Amino acid sequence: MLHTFVAYVEDLPGVLTRVASLFRRLNININSLTVGRSERVGLSRLTLVCEASSEAGNRIRASLFKLENVVDVDDIAKDPAVTRELALIKVAATPSNRSQIFDLVEVFRARIVDLTSESLMIEMTGVESKIEGLIEVLREDEGRILEICRSGKMTMRRGRHISSVLKAMGAAPDEVAEPDADAAETVEEIIPTEPE
Amino acid sequence: MGTIDQTLAANAHLITPTRLTGAEIVWATLVGEGVKDVFGYPGGAILPVYDALRKFPIHHVLVRHEQGASHMADGYARASGKVGVAIATSGPGATNLVTGVATAMLDSIPIVCITGNVSSKILGTDAFQEVDITGITLPVTKHNFLVNRAEDIAPAIRSAFQIAVSGRPGPVLVDITKDAQQGTAIFDFAAAKPRPYRPHPMLRVEDSGLAQAAELIRNAKRPIILAGHGVSESGAMEQVRTLAERAQIPVALTLLGLGNFPASHPLNMGMMGMHGEAWVNHAIQEADLLIACGMRFDDRVTGSTSTYSLKSKKIHIEVDPAEVNKNIKIDVALIGDLREVLEQLLPRVSSRDGADWIKTIETSKGAVAVRDIKNLPDSGHLYAAHVIHDIWRITGGNAIVVTDVGQHQMWEAQYFHHEHPRSLITSGGLGTMGFALPAAIGAKFACPGKEVWVVAGDGGFQMTAAELSTIVQEAIKINIAIINNGFLGMVRQWQQFFYESNYEATPLVSPDFVKLADAHGIAGRAVHTRAEVVDAVAEARSAPGTFLLNFLVEKEESVYPMIPAGSALHEMIRRPVKDPLVESPDDK
Ligand SMILES: Cc1ncc(C[n+]2csc(CCOP(=O)(O)OP(=O)(O)O)c2C)c(N)n1
């Protein structure tokens, strides 16, 4: 099954190697990995997607936690979450056949972010399947796609959720004070939003 | 060790923040962590550290190969429970440590290795003797540090000590660039204290789990406690014993668990697994409840997992959440420090009658039990089993035995009855040949008052025999028993059983070990017959210095019983019946 791990890791040299090495050792291919700053100073947040057996999920999470620089790990394969990916796609387009692509971009709710006499660049944010849909349509014209750059998945649980680990660490410096002490904090109490 | 001046100066540094060189900070921090002895080997990239040693009250043991340094640190840690420290230079010095680091990793042994590296300005340039040792050791350390500033040295070393001993222990490596050693910083020991230890967030001992475990114990008809290395790591010997005695549950031990439950205890069944007693493995297959305490269902213990103890419920008490449900499906997981968990569990366990099950196990010992090794007539041959058995008898079991890896290791486990934790030091997880001699040196430094025996094969002994010089230079006394069968015995046994006795690359020519010892200034004696064993062991013990016994044993003897790798636990290869030797001793 597809696992999606979200982890907070210390923003230090070599931390990514330690995380990646764990999957390498298990001979698990990492489908995608995105890393960037989080709401907490000194902590990066990563989303890692990989294919592994359902039993492996717990052990991978436990093993990730054993890494000194890993602060928190969440396995959100099945829980309600918002997932997005960003893609930049460069396609060959001349003034004479551009308009066809403009239409496509409109339909997929993507954007044109660069335009030259020979090419244009499309930026698209969305779930994986939508990005794949756009790429598929563009591929119908052979030789049209010049470059694709995809960010990999980013995932965030829906609703107000905080792990016990992050909770124990206290609020992030710029996190606003809780308006209501009894506010829903568990996955169960999350307000359902429209699925993708 | 160290002079009073050194000690006073070092203690002053610990209290008053002082500007020191990075090299001095290394030693000052080690002093602060309570280190008395370190095992190491110098070289260019660690020379500033060596130069600063004279100012500090720490004894440095010069090894003959850096693998020896990491094994000595390991033996030191296993014997004492304290962190062992190894030091090496960059490049080849650092890579030579790796086998010892991996050995410590697989057996969860707390050691700290300090390596020098080239200056930070030329890191990554393939400079002379530069190697990416943090990269190399990443999968075989619990954690490692690359330090390139003097001010980061003390915090890194202090964290290393904390990480090495906390939770499930393990090795930590601190790689320090030469410019960091040469630079200066304010040494503030207190301020370098690591952040509080963060327990693994998936530790979980719930009331419901404890209740379930107690319920399973209450209703079990055929329960067994499986006790492993975690028992001594967590200091839970008393708690395991209380559980066993109160609920009358027999105890089986892993190789690294030997000594964690007294061999002489009536509830002690003996060792489980590949070369475990037949009745122990049969009992595990028949059990209706396994209570695994600080053990990880290693493949050498389970045999085939798909046929492992299918009739039993399993309770797993374990400090590492990644071990639970890894190899064997668990019914009740109590994930936490073994001693703490047992202390919570014991009040819920009441006394129980286990007589029927214990009797069943006793009966299953059958013929094995009556063919006692002591009663066999002397056939003129020398068997390793007799040697080990006699060492056990003569020392009264009151020795630290450090084994190498192979047949002799298994015979030690079978014929030396360990009463106390930390009395058997052996490489279980990695199975590292060459471990015994250096690890014994480390153990002797940890416990100078204890009698230390090396039990090694002729093959493994030669892998690290250079450390004989270290013994002489340090003027320490250990006793060395080489079980010399002229073969890489354990591999020969596999060839005999599984490769049609095609003895490829296992017959082994060795030097005359007594002469080799003599060349080092170490006394020794060759032993050819069973009749000489007692006298030889006594001579070694009473000799003032290290003494080497070269036991020329039967060449093609095998370890029985044996579960072929990947077979079911009950599918054992038994000793052919016409053979005069018993397959297991029963004379505890
Ligand atoms: C470093 C290393 N290399 C190879 C092995 C594989 N191996 C396991 S046991 C063994 C034979 C050991 O022979 P010896 O030291 O003579 O001991 P014996 O089995 O005869 O008691 C070998 C080669 C190992 N465990 N460690």
Side-chain angles (χ1 to χ4, degrees):
Chain A
M1 64 176 278
L2 210 58
H3 291 273
T4 305
F5 297 100
V6 170
Y8 284 78
V9 302
E10 288 179 300
D11 187 7
L12 294 171
V15 174
L16 213 50
T17 314
R18 292 175 198 277
V19 171
S21 182
L22 201 138
F23 293 88
R24 175 192 53 75
R25 194 185 162 187
L26 297 170
N27 205 15
I28 290 175
N29 183 47
I30 297 173
N31 294 9
S32 81
L33 171 61
T34 64
V35 196
R37 293 212 178 115
S38 73
E39 73 281 8
R40 286 162 197 271
V41 181
L43 292 189
S44 301
R45 174 174 168 134
L46 61 85
T47 307
L48 188 152
V49 183
C50 70
E51 186 69 44
S53 70
S54 57
E55 309 88 69
N58 213 40
R59 211 180 117 219
I60 292 173
R61 182 162 173 250
S63 302
L64 280 169
F65 264 127
K66 279 164 67 173
L67 300 175
E68 274 307 307
N69 305 115
V70 171
V71 176
D72 193 22
V73 190
D74 197 0
D75 180 357
I76 40 180
K78 289 190 219 83
D79 300 310
V82 175
T83 295
R84 288 290 180 274
E85 184 172 359
L86 170 71
L88 294 175
I89 305 163
K90 192 185 282 176
V91 293
T94 55
S96 58
N97 61 8
R98 265 179 205 156
S99 59
Q100 188 198 344
I101 296 185
F102 287 168
D103 293 347
L104 256 182
V105 164
E106 181 82 0
V107 171
F108 277 88
R109 277 188 259 154
R111 293 203 299 153
I112 307 284
V113 290
D114 185 50
L115 185 71
T116 67
S117 56
E118 289 158 350
S119 72
L120 54 79
M121 198 193 298
I122 306 168
E123 174 198 301
M124 169 147 185
T125 311
V127 293
E128 206 178 8
S129 56
K130 271 198 189 168
I131 291 174
E132 244 130 59
L134 173 60
I135 292 172
E136 212 168 290
V137 176
L138 289 169
R139 281 222 166 104
E140 279 166 10
D141 272 329
E142 209 168 310
R144 172 148 270 176
I145 294 180
L146 301 173
E147 279 180 60
I148 297 178
C149 175
R150 294 173 65 169
S151 66
K153 270 196 218 170
M154 300 164 72
T155 302
M156 198 177 268
R157 280 177 183 271
R158 289 174 185 275
R160 190 180 166 83
H161 171 271
I162 187 162
S163 80
S164 57
V165 175
L166 293 181
K167 198 169 179 181
M169 289 175 69
D174 45 6
E175 202 176 69
V176 275
E178 243 170 75
D180 173 8
D182 297 325
E185 284 202 345
T186 55
V187 200
E188 289 77 26
E189 291 173 90
I190 284 161
I191 313 115
T193 348
E194 216 185 308
E196 307 288 336
Chain B
M1 298 232 184
T3 64
I4 291 177
D5 284 353
Q6 286 174 332
T7 309
L8 289 177
N11 287 344
H13 293 325
L14 291 176
I15 296 158
T16 323
T18 328
R19 181 165 287 278
L20 298 177
T21 66
E24 290 165 339
I25 290 174
V26 169
W27 296 114
T29 313
L30 292 178
V31 171
E33 293 292 342
V35 174
K36 302 269 186 302
D37 303 293
V38 299
F39 308 92
Y41 207 89
I46 192 78
L47 215 39
V49 167
Y50 273 85
D51 186 52
L53 172 57
R54 66 199 142 90
K55 301 177 197 156
F56 294 86
I58 286 184
H59 176 67
H60 177 269
V61 176
L62 177 66
V63 302
R64 293 300 180 272
H65 184 293
E66 290 86 352
Q67 181 185 350
S70 39
H71 285 329
M72 284 180 211
D74 177 317
Y76 184 96
R78 291 188 204 233
S80 65
K82 289 189 273 192
V83 177
V85 180
I87 300 185
T89 190
S90 64
T95 53
N96 274 351
L97 285 177
V98 174
T99 299
V101 173
T103 304
M105 184 68 178
L106 274 266
D107 285 348
S108 311
I109 305 301
I111 66 171
V112 168
C113 296
I114 295 173
T115 49
N117 206 336
V118 299
S119 276
S120 59
K121 287 169 282 291
I122 53 169
L123 270 184
T125 64
D126 290 339
F128 178 63
Q129 292 193 333
E130 187 201 352
V131 80
D132 173 14
I133 196 62
T134 45
I136 289 172
T137 58
L138 191 139
V140 291
T141 49
K142 212 177 148 187
H143 190 61
N144 60 25
F145 295 89
L146 171 55
V147 179
N148 59 8
R149 299 188 314 172
E151 57 264 45
D152 296 337
I153 293 176
I157 294 179
R158 292 206 68 179
S159 298
F161 272 77
Q162 184 193 59
I163 293 166
V165 294
S166 56
R168 177 177 177 176
V172 183
L173 182 135
V174 184
D175 191 29
I176 309 174
T177 61
K178 194 165 182 181
D179 52 336
Q181 299 167 39
Q182 288 165 326
T184 67
I186 301 293
F187 173 63
D188 186 340
F189 186 74
K193 190 171 169 224
R195 65 173 174 223
Y197 165 63
R198 267 191 287 125
H200 195 294
M202 288 163 78
L203 298 186
R204 191 145 295 129
V205 184
E206 278 159 354
D207 235 40
S208 57
L210 291 165
Q212 255 179 295
E215 174 80 12
L216 285 175
I217 293 171
R218 185 165 37 250
N219 297 329
K221 296 270 179 298
R222 300 184 306 279
I224 300 179
I225 293 173
L226 308 178
H229 183 205
V231 176
S232 49
E233 282 303 328
S234 141
M237 283 75 69
E238 272 318 304
Q239 288 70 17
V240 168
R241 191 174 171 151
T242 308
L243 175 65
E245 287 174 353
R246 187 181 300 166
Q248 286 298 299
I249 305 175
V251 179
L253 300 164
T254 67
L255 175 64
L256 263 63
L258 293 178
N260 290 344
F261 189 76
S264 62
H265 195 287
L267 287 169
N268 189 328
M269 295 202 291
M271 186 170 74
M272 63 179 106
M274 183 174 272
H275 293 294
E277 318 290 5
W279 66 82
V280 180
N281 290 332
H282 280 305
I284 289 171
Q285 292 299 71
E286 287 307 311
D288 66 353
L289 176 65
L290 299 182
I291 309 164
C293 298
M295 57 82 74
R296 59 184 174 94
F297 294 101
D298 177 81
D299 55 273
R300 285 297 187 264
V301 150
T302 59
S304 149
T305 51
S306 61
T307 53
Y308 181 74
S309 192
L310 298 175
K311 301 169 191 163
S312 64
K313 296 267 185 213
K314 281 122 194 146
I315 301 171
H316 198 180
I317 313 179
E318 167 61 44
V319 72
D320 181 354
E323 290 295 349
V324 179
N325 283 317
K326 183 177 82 173
N327 299 337
I328 296 292
K329 177 98 187 55
I330 298 304
D331 298 286
V332 179
L334 299 170
I335 312 174
D337 176 72
L338 178 62
R339 185 161 83 178
E340 287 169 22
V341 173
L342 285 177
E343 267 164 7
Q344 285 175 268
L345 180 63
L346 282 171
R348 301 171 188 248
V349 176
S350 43
S351 68
R352 186 186 148 271
D353 180 11
D356 279 356
W357 172 229
I358 292 166
K359 206 164 144 237
T360 311
I361 297 172
E362 283 301 322
T363 318
S364 77
K365 290 183 182 176
V368 174
V370 294
R371 293 161 81 197
D372 189 325
I373 190 167
K374 282 182 305 200
N375 305 330
L376 281 180
D378 186 349
S379 61
H381 296 279
L382 184 59
Y383 287 98
H386 295 147
V387 174
I388 308 280
H389 185 72
D390 282 346
I391 295 175
W392 169 68
R393 277 197 315 182
I394 297 167
T395 58
N398 288 316
I400 296 177
V401 183
V402 188
T403 80
D404 218 79
V405 170
Q407 292 183 313
H408 65 278
Q409 178 187 31
M410 293 300 118
W411 283 317
E412 200 286 344
Q414 294 179 337
Y415 293 97
F416 194 107
H417 306 305
H418 289 275
E419 286 293 300
H420 307 290
R422 305 192 183 283
S423 65
L424 169 60
I425 292 178
T426 193
S427 165
L430 198 65
T432 311
M433 284 172 71
F435 174 78
L437 188 63
I441 296 172
K444 187 68 186 181
F445 273 95
C447 305
K450 282 256 174 80
E451 178 174 347
V452 175
W453 277 85
V454 166
V455 174
D458 41 336
F461 185 76
Q462 289 184 72
M463 284 201 171
T464 51
E467 302 302 343
L468 286 172
S469 305
T470 310
I471 289 177
V472 176
Q473 186 162 354
E474 294 296 328
I476 55 171
K477 168 160 178 69
I478 57 179
N479 300 315
I480 301 167
I482 298 178
I483 306 298
N484 188 345
N485 53 13
F487 276 103
L488 298 175
M490 186 57 95
V491 178
R492 185 209 59 75
Q493 174 171 343
W494 282 52
Q495 289 172 330
Q496 180 190 333
F497 290 0
F498 315 119
Y499 296 88
E500 292 153 351
S501 297
N502 175 22
Y503 294 164
E504 200 64 64
T506 44
L508 182 71
V509 172
S510 296
D512 179 332
F513 289 115
V514 176
K515 280 193 185 149
L516 181 73
D518 186 54
H520 288 83
I522 290 174
R525 167 174 172 183
V527 183
H528 302 265
T529 62
R530 186 173 173 183
E532 302 164 72
V533 175
V534 171
D535 184 59
V537 170
E539 184 180 357
R541 296 182 78 212
S542 60
T546 290
F547 200 93
L548 182 146
L549 294 171
N550 184 18
F551 291 102
L552 295 139
V553 299
E554 270 307 282
K555 285 188 183 317
E556 297 191 29
E557 170 63 351
S558 291
V559 182
Y560 296 99
M562 175 178 190
I563 304 158
S567 296
L569 208 53
H570 54 271
E571 291 167 5
M572 276 163 278
I573 300 176
R574 313 293 296 261
R575 180 178 292 281
V577 268
K578 60 179 188 329
D579 201 301
L581 247 183
V582 296
E583 64 187 7
S584 262
D586 183 47
D587 51 353
K588 292 171 184 177

